[in-house]
C-alpha cells in the first residue's frame, strides 16, 4: 500500500469506504471541494456507525443520565459516580464483537485493553473487570475454537496487566453462530477532584502522542469491520484486527497515573476506534477548538506509512494528551522513564479546524464540528417483526406438563447455559491487587475499595452484568427492563445499594426496520427501568450490524450495574453457609413458562411472552435486601433467574467456594403447575437463608415484599416437594454438583 499513488477520490471510492451517496454529497458541501484521500478516510471512520452512533443517538438521548451521585454521564471515555469520602468509581462496558469472531484471541485481548484505557484515561486505576460473552452451540467445533480463543485473550491480557476479572456471564445460542459477542467491562477508583476529561483547550498548548508506535494494524476496524454485516468475505478482514501488548499497557497505566499527579495535563484521550483521527477530533470538538498536527512526528513502527494509514491506524496502547505549554519536557520525561514512545505532534488552535501536515504539505484541512459533534443523525424507520405476535402465543393448558421433574433439573444443570462457568473463569486472575471479596460464580462480584496510596476504606462495590437475549427477542421492551432489574437485584443480593449502570447494546442491521424497532423498544424498556430503580445510565456502547448473511443475533442489551456497600464486612453470599438456617422465598411466583430455559431445553420452544417486571416491587425488594444485610437478618441471598426456583435452590446448595455443599429440604405450595413452580422464571424473587425467619419476614412485610418460609438447610441432599406428598426432586448435592460442574468441560474435552 505504501509508496503507491493515492487513488482517485470519487463517489465510487466513497461507497467503498461505507459512505452513502447523501453523505458523500454532504462531505463535498462541507469542504467546498472533493476531499483528499486522507480526508475521505477521516469522514468514513468518523461518520461510521461505530464512531458516530448515527442510528442510535436520537434514542439514547431519552435515557436517564443524571442523579445525585453522578459526576460524569455519557459523552466521556467512561462515566463517574461518587461513593463518598472524596472518592468516585469510573466504569464502562464496550464491545469487541466483530474482531473477536475473526481473530478471537487478539480480538478479545484488545477489547480488554481498550476498556482499561477508557478507565485510566479518566484518572482512575483499573480495579476489576467483568466479561459478557456469547457464542453459537458448543457442538460446533468452530465455536469451541472461538470460546477457547476469546477466554485466552481475556485472561491473557487481564492477567498480564494485573487487573482482576471478577465476574461475568456466558451464553450459547444458535443466533450467535455467525456473530459472537464479546463485551468487556472495567471499573476503576479515583479521587473526585482528579477526574480527567478528553479536552483540547488553550490555544498553543502542545498535543502529545504517547505509548506504542503506530503500525498498519486495525485500519478501518471501526468503519468497514465494526459498522457492516458479515458475509462470505469475513475471513479476509483478519488484517483489520489489532494486536495488543498488555505489558506496554501496564507501563502506559503507570505512566499516565504518575503524570496525572502533576498539574501538567489539560486533557487526555485513548486512541481507540479510528485511532489518531477519533481522539484528536473528539478532544477538539469537546472544547470548541482546533488542532494542527504534523504526522512526521508520530512514532512509527512500519516504514513508508502514508497519512491515510497514520490517521486511521488502530494500533493499540496509545494515548493522545494536551499538556500545558512549557511543560512538554516534564511530560516526555515521565513517558521515557516508563520506556514508552512520546512526542509532541501538534498544537491546539482556536479556529475550530483540523490541519494535518505530512512532509511539509497540508494533507487535511477540515472543520472539526461537522466531523465529530455534528455528525449525521438518522431517524431510521421502525416496524414490529411480522411474526412476533405469533411467536408470543403460548397456551399453557395445551403444553404437556413435565413428567420427570428431577430429570428436568438434571438436564438444566447439565446445559451449557446453566452449568458452571468455572472452566472459563479459572483461566482469569480473580485476586490480583488483593481486593476481591466475592469472585466469579455468585450473583454479583464484590470488590474492596482502596485509595491510590493503598490505604484501606470501609467501602466495597458490587458488580453484575446481565441480559436474557431470548426474552429480548420475544419482547425487547420487557426483556430490557428485566435485564436492568436483574443486574440491580444481583447487586442488592450482596447488600449493596445499586448506584448506576452502563450498557452495551448489541443488535443486528439497523437499516432493517424490524431491527431498529427492537433497538428502540429495548432502549425504551431500559430507560423505564433505570429511571424507576434509580440507576441512571452513565456510560455505554452501541454495537450494530451483528448479522451474517441476513441472520441477526437476538437483541442483546447487556446491562452492568454497580452498587455500593459500606461497611464491606457485612455482606451476603449466594450459597448456604451452613445447616439449620431457615430458607425464605422473597417475591411472588407466577405461572409463567414463556421464554424459559426449561421450555427451550425440554420442549424445544422459544415462545410466549417473557415474565413481566414489576419495577415498584423490584425497588421494594432491593431496599429490603440492603436493609436486611445491614441489620444481619440474612446471610444468603440468591437471585432466582434462568432455570427457575429449582435451579436456584440447587445452586445455593453447592456453589460455595469451599465446595463442601449444604443440602436443604424444601416444601412448596403455590397452586400452580409444578413445572412452572420449579422452572418458571418469574422476576423479582430471591432465595434467602436466615437464622431468624420471623424477623426477616417481619421486615419484608414492613417493606411490602412477599416472603414465605419454604424450608431449612441441612444434610447432603436437596429435597423439593409439596406438603404431605412424595417429593418431586430428591438428589444428592454431590451428584447435582457433578452434573453442573462438568457441563462445559465434558463438551470441550479433546479426544
Amino acid at each position: 500500500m505504501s509508496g503507491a499513488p493515492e487513488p482517485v477520490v470519487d463517489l465510487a471510492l466513497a461507497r467503498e469506504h461505507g459512505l452513502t451517496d447523501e453523505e458523500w454529497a454532504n462531505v463535498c458541501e462541507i469542504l467546498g471541494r472533493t476531499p483528499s484521500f486522507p480526508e475521505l478516510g477521516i469522514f468514513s471512520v468518523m461518520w461510521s456507525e461505530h464512531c458516530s452512533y448515527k442510528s442510535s443517538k436520537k434514542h439514547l438521548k431519552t435515557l436517564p443520565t443524571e442523579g445525585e451521585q453522578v459526576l460524569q454521564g455519557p459523552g466521556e471515555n467512561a462515566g463517574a459516580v461518587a461513593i463518598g469520602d472524596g472518592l468516585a468509581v469510573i466504569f464502562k462496558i464496550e464491545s469487541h464483537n466483530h474482531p473477536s469472531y475473526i481473530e478471537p484471541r487478539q480480538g478479545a485481548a484488545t477489547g480488554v485493553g481498550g476498556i482499561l484505557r477508557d478507565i485510566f484515561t479518566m484518572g482512575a486505576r483499573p480495579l476489576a473487570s467483568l466479561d459478557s460473552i456469547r457464542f453459537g452451540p458448543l457442538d460446533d467445533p468452530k465455536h469451541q475454537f472461538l470460546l477457547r480463543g476469546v477466554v485466552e485473550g481475556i485472561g491473557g491480557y487481564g492477567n498480564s496487566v494485573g487487573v482482576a476479572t471478577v465476574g461475568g456471564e456466558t451464553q450459547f445460542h444458535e443466533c450467535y453462530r455467525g456473530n459472537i459477542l464479546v463485551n468487556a467491562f472495567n471499573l476503576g477508583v479515583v479521587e473526585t477532584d482528579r477526574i480527567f476529561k478528553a479536552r483540547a483547550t488553550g490555544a498553543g498548548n502542545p498535543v502529545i502522542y504517547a505509548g506504542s508506535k503506530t503500525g498498519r494494524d486495525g485500519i478501518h476496524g471501526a468503519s468497514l469491520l465494526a459498522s457492516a454485516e458479515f458475509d462470505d468475505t469475513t475471513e479476509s478482514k483478519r488484517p483489520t484486527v489489532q494486536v495488543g501488548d498488555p505489558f506496554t499497557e501496564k507501563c502506559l497505566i503507570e505512566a499516565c497515573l504518575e503524570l496525572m499527579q502533576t498539574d501538567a495535563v489539560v486533557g487526555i484521550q485513548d486512541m481507540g476506534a479510528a485511532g489518531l483521527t477519533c481522539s484528536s477530533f473528539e478532544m477538539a470538538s469537546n472544547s470548541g477548538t482546533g488542532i494542527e498536527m504534523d504526522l512526521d512526528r508520530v512514532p512509527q513502527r512500519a516504514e513508508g506509512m502514508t497519512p491515510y494509514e497514520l490517521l486511521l491506524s488502530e494500533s493499540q496502547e496509545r494515548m493522545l494528551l494536551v499538556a500545558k505549554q512549557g511543560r512538554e519536557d516534564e511530560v516526555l520525561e515521565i513517558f521515557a522513564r516508563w520506556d514508552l514512545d512520546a512526542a509532541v505532534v501538534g498544537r491546539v488552535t482556536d479556529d475550530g479546524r483540523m490541519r494535518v501536515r505530512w512532509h511539509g504539505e497540508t494533507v487535511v484541512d477540515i472543520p472539526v464540528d461537522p466531523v465529530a459533534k455534528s455528525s449525521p443523525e438518522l431517524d431510521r424507520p421502525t416496524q414490529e417483526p411480522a411474526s412476533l405476535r405469533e411467536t408470543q402465543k403460548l397456551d399453557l393448558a395445551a403444553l404437556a406438563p413435565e413428567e420427570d421433574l428431577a430429570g428436568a433439573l438434571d438436564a438444566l444443570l447439565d446445559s451449557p447455559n446453566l452449568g458452571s462457568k468455572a472452566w472459563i473463569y479459572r483461566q482469569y486472575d480473580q485476586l490480583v491487587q488483593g481486593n476481591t471479596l466475592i469472585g466469579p460464580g455468585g450473583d454479583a462480584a464484590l470488590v474492596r475499595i482502596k485509595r491510590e496510596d493503598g490505604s484501606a476504606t470501609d467501602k466495597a462495590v458490587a458488580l453484575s452484568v446481565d441480559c436474557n437475549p431470548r426474552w429480548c427477542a420475544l419482547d425487547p421492551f420487557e426483556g430490557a427492563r428485566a435485564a436492568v432489574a436483574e443486574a440491580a437485584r444481583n447487586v442488592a443480593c450482596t447488600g449493596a445499594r445499586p448506584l448506576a449502570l452502563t450498557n452495551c447494546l448489541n443488535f443486528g442491521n439497523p437499516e432493517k426496520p424490524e431491527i431498529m424497532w427492537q433497538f428502540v423498544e429495548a432502549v425504551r424498556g431500559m430507560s423505564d427501568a433505570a429511571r424507576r430503580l434509580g440507576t441512571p445510565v452513565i456510560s455505554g456502547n452501541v454495537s450494530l450490524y451483528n448479522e451474517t448473511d441476513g441472520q441477526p443475533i437476538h437483541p442483546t442489551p447487556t446491562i452492568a450495574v454497580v452498587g455500593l456497600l459500606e461497611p464491606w464486612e457485612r455482606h451476603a453470599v449466594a450459597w448456604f453457609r451452613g445447616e439449620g438456617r431457615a430458607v425464605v422465598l422473597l417475591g411472588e411466583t407466577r405461572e409463567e413458562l414463556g421464554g424459559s430455559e426449561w421450555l427451550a431445553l425440554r420442549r424445544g420452544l422459544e415462545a410466549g411472552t417473557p415474565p413481566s417486571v414489576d419495577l415498584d416491587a423490584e425497588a421494594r425488594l432491593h431496599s429490603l435486601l440492603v436493609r436486611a444485610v445491614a441489620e444481619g437478618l440474612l446471610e444468603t441471598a440468591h437471585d432466582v433467574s434462568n432455570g427457575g426456583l429449582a435451579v436456584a435452590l440447587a445452586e445455593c446448595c453447592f456453589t460455595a467456594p469451599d465446595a463442601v455443599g449444604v443440602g436443604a429440604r424444601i416444601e412448596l405450595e403455590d397452586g400452580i403447575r409444578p413445572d412452572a413452580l420449579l422452572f418458571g422464571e418469574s422476576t423479582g424473587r430471591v432465595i434467602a437463608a436466615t437464622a431468624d425467619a420471623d424477623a426477616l419476614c417481619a421486615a419484608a412485610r414492613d417493606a411490602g415484599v412477599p416472603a414465605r418460609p419454604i424450608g431449612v438447610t441441612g444434610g447432603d441432599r436437596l429435597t423439593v416437594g409439596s406438603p404431605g406428598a412424595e417429593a418431586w426432586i430428591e438428589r444428592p448435592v454431590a451428584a447435582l454438583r457433578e452434573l453442573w460442574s462438568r457441563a462445559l468441560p465434558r463438551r470441550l474435552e479433546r479426544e
Side-chain angles (χ1 to χ4, degrees):
M1 185 173 182
S2 61
E6 290 186 348
V8 175
V9 177
D10 55 16
L11 175 59
L13 188 62
R15 288 171 175 168
E16 290 179 17
H17 279 67
L19 292 176
T20 66
D21 291 10
E22 182 181 357
E23 288 169 343
W24 165 251
N26 195 7
V27 169
C28 294
E29 181 180 354
I30 289 169
L31 297 179
R33 57 177 169 79
T34 300
S36 68
F37 187 45
E39 288 171 339
L40 175 64
I42 287 171
F43 276 101
S44 75
V45 294
M46 292 301 293
W47 285 8
S48 69
E49 195 70 63
H50 188 77
C51 292
S52 74
Y53 285 26
K54 57 189 174 185
S55 296
S56 60
K57 57 186 175 183
K58 174 182 187 294
H59 307 286
L60 297 178
K61 293 174 184 176
T62 66
L63 294 171
T65 59
E66 298 179 350
E68 182 180 351
Q69 72 276 16
V70 176
L71 301 176
Q72 177 62 56
E76 278 293 332
N77 289 285
V81 175
I83 58 172
D85 297 331
L87 295 175
V89 286
I90 309 284
F91 60 90
K92 187 181 182 182
I93 187 169
E94 278 208 342
S95 63
H96 226 223
N97 301 332
H98 283 45
S100 299
Y101 183 86
I102 293 172
E103 209 331 294
R105 187 179 184 280
Q106 288 299 338
T110 52
V112 173
I115 196 64
L116 292 178
R117 288 193 298 280
D118 282 338
I119 302 307
F120 73 77
T121 298
M122 300 283 290
R125 177 172 294 279
L127 178 66
S129 294
L130 306 174
D131 58 27
S132 175
I133 52 179
R134 291 178 165 84
F135 303 88
L138 267 185
D139 58 7
D140 183 339
K142 179 169 185 174
H143 282 269
Q144 293 191 19
F145 163 77
L146 290 170
L147 173 63
R148 287 191 171 94
V150 165
V151 171
E152 183 180 351
I154 292 171
Y157 203 101
N159 297 353
S160 298
V161 84
V163 177
T165 302
V166 297
E169 60 171 351
T170 306
Q171 188 177 40
F172 306 91
H173 192 279
E174 177 65 33
C175 75
Y176 302 109
R177 191 183 289 275
N179 288 84
I180 67 173
L181 299 185
V182 177
N183 296 173
F185 167 99
N186 188 259
L187 175 144
V189 181
V190 66
E191 294 180 2
T192 55
D193 60 353
R194 303 298 297 172
I195 296 174
F196 288 81
K197 299 182 180 181
R199 296 289 185 267
T201 56
N205 278 335
V207 177
I208 299 177
Y209 171 117
S212 293
K213 290 181 170 66
T214 295
R216 292 191 172 96
D217 48 326
I219 293 174
H220 275 303
S223 59
L224 300 185
L225 177 60
S227 300
E229 290 184 30
F230 278 168
D231 53 28
D232 55 10
T233 68
T234 294
E235 292 302 319
S236 69
K237 297 175 181 176
R238 190 176 301 272
T240 65
V241 177
Q242 312 96 317
V243 177
D245 179 357
F247 301 105
T248 298
E249 180 103 335
K250 174 61 174 173
C251 292
L252 193 58
I253 291 172
E254 299 304 331
C256 287
L257 293 180
E258 179 181 337
L259 178 61
M260 289 168 176
Q261 292 302 308
T262 73
D263 64 348
V265 180
V266 173
I268 185 167
Q269 169 82 335
D270 161 40
M271 281 192 239
L276 190 56
T277 291
C278 194
S279 56
S280 58
F281 272 89
E282 287 187 352
M283 292 181 77
S285 182
N286 290 344
S287 308
T289 59
I291 289 177
E292 291 180 348
M293 190 159 29
D294 188 343
L295 293 180
D296 295 322
R297 300 181 181 180
V298 173
Q300 301 169 40
R301 70 166 183 261
E303 293 184 2
M305 292 191 71
T306 65
Y308 182 96
E309 294 170 326
L310 289 166
L311 287 165
L312 270 61
S313 168
E314 295 183 8
S315 294
Q316 296 291 286
E317 291 84 42
R318 300 181 302 159
M319 308 291 282
L320 194 68
L321 61 98
V322 172
K324 292 180 179 178
Q325 194 168 4
R327 306 289 292 275
E328 295 91 339
D329 290 345
E330 181 181 351
V331 173
L332 298 178
E333 188 276 330
I334 289 175
F335 285 109
R337 194 148 30 80
W338 286 97
D339 200 23
L340 295 166
D341 284 286
V344 176
V345 296
R347 298 280 171 181
V348 177
T349 65
D350 59 5
D351 62 1
R353 298 189 71 85
M354 183 70 62
R355 292 185 177 87
V356 180
R357 293 187 302 274
W358 181 68
H359 293 358
E361 296 183 9
T362 298
V363 294
V364 171
D365 185 356
I366 55 182
V368 168
D369 189 72
V371 179
K373 184 180 296 182
S374 299
S375 60
E377 178 177 314
L378 304 179
D379 187 8
R380 294 193 184 276
T382 64
Q383 180 179 324
E384 181 180 304
S387 61
L388 183 62
R389 298 294 178 178
E390 192 64 30
T391 305
Q392 288 177 337
K393 293 179 180 178
L394 180 67
D395 183 1
L396 288 184
L399 185 68
E402 177 62 67
E403 296 182 356
D404 183 2
L405 296 167
L409 175 60
D410 291 347
L412 287 165
L413 292 175
D414 181 51
S415 67
N417 283 338
L418 298 185
S420 170
K421 305 305 186 294
W423 182 91
I424 295 171
Y425 62 70
R426 283 176 182 163
Q427 299 182 54
Y428 303 155
D429 191 331
Q430 308 152 34
L431 302 174
V432 63
Q433 297 187 41
N435 299 310
T436 307
L437 297 170
I438 300 176
D443 288 331
L446 192 61
V447 182
R448 285 188 64 184
I449 297 295
K450 295 177 183 175
R451 296 184 180 275
E452 176 64 22
D453 62 7
S455 60
T457 74
D458 65 348
K459 305 176 190 297
V461 287
L463 325 168
S464 180
V465 59
D466 288 284
C467 183
N468 188 323
R470 184 185 294 120
W471 288 12
C472 293
L474 292 170
D475 186 334
F477 174 75
E478 284 293 347
R481 292 170 92 233
V484 174
E486 182 176 356
R489 189 186 320 129
N490 285 338
V491 163
C493 279
T494 68
R497 177 172 59 90
L499 293 178
L501 69 85
T502 180
N503 60 63
C504 194
L505 308 180
N506 307 275
F507 290 79
N509 184 346
E511 298 167 38
K512 298 179 178 179
E514 295 81 4
I515 301 297
M516 202 62 214
W517 179 85
Q518 292 177 335
F519 181 87
V520 172
E521 285 295 290
V523 170
R524 189 168 68 90
M526 177 174 53
S527 180
D528 184 37
R531 186 171 286 107
R532 292 170 65 182
L533 294 179
T535 52
V537 181
I538 66 162
S539 60
N541 172 243
V542 177
S543 175
L544 302 177
Y545 294 98
N546 292 289
E547 189 162 330
T548 297
D549 295 329
Q551 297 299 311
I553 63 165
H554 280 348
T556 311
T558 304
I559 305 295
V561 169
V562 172
L564 175 65
L565 178 68
E566 53 183 341
W568 63 263
E569 289 89 350
R570 178 166 281 178
H571 60 267
V573 298
W575 53 85
F576 296 143
R577 288 180 182 253
E579 300 195 355
R581 274 69 164 183
V583 181
V584 176
L585 179 61
L586 303 174
E588 182 181 356
T589 300
R590 298 174 293 274
E591 195 167 60
E592 298 171 309
L593 284 168
S596 65
E597 288 283 343
W598 173 85
L599 188 66
L601 185 67
R602 300 291 280 185
R603 295 294 180 266
L605 295 175
E606 295 194 0
T609 55
S612 60
V613 183
D614 183 336
L615 292 171
D616 293 332
E618 282 282 356
R620 293 193 296 271
L621 174 62
H622 302 172
S623 295
L624 170 65
L625 290 168
V626 172
R627 172 192 164 190
V629 171
E631 295 179 359
L633 295 180
L634 60 82
E635 59 184 27
T636 297
H638 182 34
D639 167 44
V640 179
S641 57
N642 294 354
L645 183 58
V647 168
L649 285 165
E651 290 169 341
C652 287
C653 290
F654 58 61
T655 55
D658 60 15
V660 173
V662 178
R665 184 169 188 86
I666 306 296
E667 290 189 344
L668 303 170
E669 49 178 339
D670 274 87
I672 63 176
R673 51 189 288 170
D675 47 13
L677 181 59
L678 293 174
F679 308 118
E681 296 173 359
S682 296
T683 61
R685 295 181 296 165
V686 166
I687 296 169
T690 176
D692 191 342
D694 291 340
L696 178 59
C697 289
R701 283 194 302 272
D702 292 343
V705 175
R708 177 181 302 179
I710 59 172
V712 64
T713 64
D716 60 1
R717 305 175 76 82
L718 173 63
T719 304
V720 183
S722 61
E726 185 177 349
W728 296 319
I729 296 170
E730 187 167 3
R731 286 282 193 269
V733 170
L736 294 175
R737 183 197 298 117
E738 178 68 12
L739 279 171
W740 176 79
S741 63
R742 293 286 300 160
L744 281 188
R746 77 175 184 83
R747 290 171 170 86
L748 292 168
E749 288 171 348
R750 303 181 189 274
E751 296 183 3

